[in-house]
Amino acid sequence: MRCCSPHAKSANKIFSFFAKSYRKRFQKKGFEQSQIQLLQSIQQTGFKQYSILEIGCGVGHLHQTLVEQDAASAVGVDLAKEMIAEAKDWANQRGLTAATRYLVGDFQQMESEIAVADVSILDKVICCDPNVAQMLDATLVKTKKAIALTYPRKRWLVLFGFGLAALLMKILRSRFRPYVHDPAFVEQRLLAAGYKKRYEETTFIWLTQLYEKI
Ligand SMILES: C[S@@+](CC[C@H](N)C(=O)[O-])C[C@H]1O[C@@H](n2cnc3c(N)ncnc32)[C@H](O)[C@@H]1O
């Protein structure tokens, strides 16, 4: 495992603890609205036969669904080793072992292990990272055609909720903190790298966007 800052170590602990419940929730309830939007945005790229890289892939339901819908292959990376254990097991159950590959560790420290993919996905992941610029730049290096992402909207109720979550983490003596990054900054970074925004939708909390290389 390539890891880690104190922040990343704490993220591993927290998300590993929740791995089984993430999988159960997907199996019981399916995708949430923001993930339905994310899937739609990727489907609009004509993604069939594309390679997918999902950073912070959790238990893998999103990229595994894309592989079932004829994406060529998928690589899932996550800091949390129990998330990857669930993702591997689920890929196996779905008959997707040959088309999927999994890596445990901090994506930003794994450049040599990860090939460039057609589409990269960051579903509720940049909000785990204090340095959004670094995360976006590392993703750009590994992306050929499109970046699809969901992250929190910058509105006061969301800021308040994330603030409470950060306070809870502090009380629990965790070094992990959730972040609400400025959407204008994310957009400007990706546009400056030669991408164009092709999709944008929202839910009460989440902003879903897809940027395509021009
Ligand atoms: C809120 S969860 C979302 C999981 C999944 N994308 C989903 O929506 O079901 C964020 C995930 O990103 C992972 N993560 C955060 N920063 C990461 C990094 N730098 N490298 C790899 N994984 C990361 C965490 O371990 C966690 O599993």
Side-chain angles (χ1 to χ4, degrees), residues 31-65:
F31 290 117
E32 25 181 285
Q33 186 57 26
S34 61
Q35 292 164 327
I36 292 170
Q37 293 169 353
L38 202 56
L39 273 178
Q40 275 170 358
S41 76
I42 296 168
Q43 285 158 348
Q44 282 179 14
T45 65
F47 72 101
K48 293 191 186 214
Q49 295 314 311
Y50 281 3
S51 53
I52 309 286
L53 168 63
E54 187 172 2
I55 301 152
C57 67
V59 297
H61 191 33
L62 195 66
H63 66 260
Q64 289 174 10
T65 300

Side-chain angles (χ1 to χ4, degrees), residues 18 82 112 166 180:
F18 286 111
E82 293 306 323
S112 62
V180 179

Side-chain angles (χ1 to χ4, degrees), residues 15 22 26 35 54 56-58 77-80 83 105-107 123-125 128-129 135:
F15 288 110
Y22 263 70
F26 279 126
Q35 292 164 327
E54 187 172 2
C57 67
V77 186
D78 204 291
L79 271 177
M83 285 286 198
D106 182 344
F107 167 70
D123 179 17
K124 305 177 183 70
V125 177
C128 295
D129 207 302
M135 189 58 147

